[in-house]
Amino acid sequence: MGRHRAFSLAVLALVLTGCSHRPAFGPPSEESLPNDAYGQTVRYGKQLVQQTGVYAKPYVGSALSCTNCHLDAGRRPFAAPFVGVMATYPQYRARSARVDTLEDRINDCFQRSLNGKPLPENSREMRALVTYMAWLSTGLPIGKKVEGMGFRRLAPKSPHPASGKPIYAQSCATCHGSEGQGQGTFPPLWGARSFNIGAGMARLNTAAAFIQANMPLGHGNTLSEQQAYDVAAYVLSHPRPDFADKAYDWPKGGKPSDAPY
């Protein structure tokens, strides 16, 4: 009985380990897309991600596109990829204190990161974005989070904006401008055309994790975690657009620093 019980426990451990293992990160190849209505919709969704202000102009108020935060059109690990996202929605989100659909989540970004307006849920743009994200989740089990989703979690650090200023000048200003104004395809990091105070990137921990893993572009993981926190604090110390619905987000009697962004 003892040997049988030990064997059963070992099998159970293997099963539980397999159940908890995250699927490997591996977006499908665009070459696999059919040349039909489905394939055209997926490709249009990718265009929307890459040039959001062009293809969804009436709904965008900033100079950002989705791909500025979701790098490589949502196909890069630890850069808020879309790979696997479809398999995790609908889900309960503390920010909204409800179960959100993927459409809700997309419009959250349009109102915050893009400082714009929500897409109509029956619009061509919304249909294309959802289809693109669904295609990137092809073959992934429902409810499973893929390895590389979101951002790597950094150990909390005490931020020093003053220390972040020279780091920004050396590592960031070439692309984003000395005054954070952005240039070319590189987005503004503060000011009237940047993401608003309700965006995920306006949270210090999120911005630091994104910067440490991905910036300078093409040279991620070159800044230390402390340097990433410092430069994130420097960027976020500058003014940016307000978020019209912030009162809805803050806890009753709370203040902006309590906001669950």
Side-chain angles (χ1 to χ4, degrees), residues 144-162:
K144 279 283 189 178
K145 290 189 175 182
V146 177
E147 189 64 35
M149 286 186 75
F151 304 103
R152 288 191 178 95
R153 190 178 296 274
L154 302 184
K157 306 284 184 184
S158 296
H160 304 289

Side-chain angles (χ1 to χ4, degrees), residues 39-257:
Q40 291 167 8
T41 302
V42 170
R43 292 184 181 95
Y44 180 53
K46 183 182 177 185
Q47 288 178 312
L48 280 160
V49 170
Q50 293 175 312
Q51 301 180 70
T52 318
V54 173
Y55 293 100
K57 185 176 181 179
Y59 306 98
V60 177
S62 72
L64 280 71
S65 287
C66 300
T67 196
N68 293 135
C69 298
H70 307 274
L71 298 185
D72 192 20
R75 297 175 297 178
R76 186 174 300 181
F78 300 111
F82 297 139
V83 178
V85 165
M86 186 72 177
T88 66
Y89 278 87
Q91 65 171 254
Y92 177 83
R93 299 179 66 229
R95 175 188 279 176
S96 60
R98 68 181 187 188
V99 174
D100 280 350
T101 65
L102 184 55
E103 290 85 352
D104 292 326
R105 183 66 184 88
I106 289 170
N107 274 334
D108 214 28
C109 279
F110 267 82
Q111 291 177 274
R112 298 168 186 266
S113 299
L114 299 175
N115 194 34
K117 300 184 296 185
L119 292 172
E121 291 199 8
N122 63 348
S123 64
R124 181 190 176 207
E125 292 81 8
M126 179 64 82
R127 186 176 296 109
L129 286 169
V130 171
T131 303
Y132 176 62
M133 294 180 192
W135 173 71
L136 286 175
S137 299
T138 300
L140 295 174
I142 292 174
K144 279 283 189 178
K145 290 189 175 182
V146 177
E147 189 64 35
M149 286 186 75
F151 304 103
R152 288 191 178 95
R153 190 178 296 274
L154 302 184
K157 306 284 184 184
S158 296
H160 304 289
S163 299
K165 183 176 181 178
I167 300 171
Y168 179 88
Q170 179 178 350
S171 301
C172 314
T174 300
C175 294
H176 295 285
S178 60
E179 298 300 321
Q181 73 272 18
Q183 47 195 2
T185 60
F186 299 102
L189 300 183
W190 63 81
R193 295 286 285 155
S194 188
F195 53 88
N196 69 39
I197 66 168
M201 209 60 75
R203 301 174 69 178
L204 178 64
N205 292 344
T206 299
F210 177 82
I211 290 167
Q212 202 281 323
N214 300 290
M215 295 292 134
L217 191 63
H219 300 280
N221 299 301
T222 58
L223 298 179
S224 69
E225 293 187 9
Q226 184 63 60
Q227 287 175 318
Y229 266 95
D230 291 347
V231 74
Y234 173 71
V235 167
L236 297 180
S237 70
H238 291 84
R240 63 187 61 261
D242 199 2
F243 175 49
D245 292 336
K246 63 180 181 294
Y248 174 80
D249 275 4
W250 299 346
K252 188 175 182 180
K255 53 188 182 299
S257 60

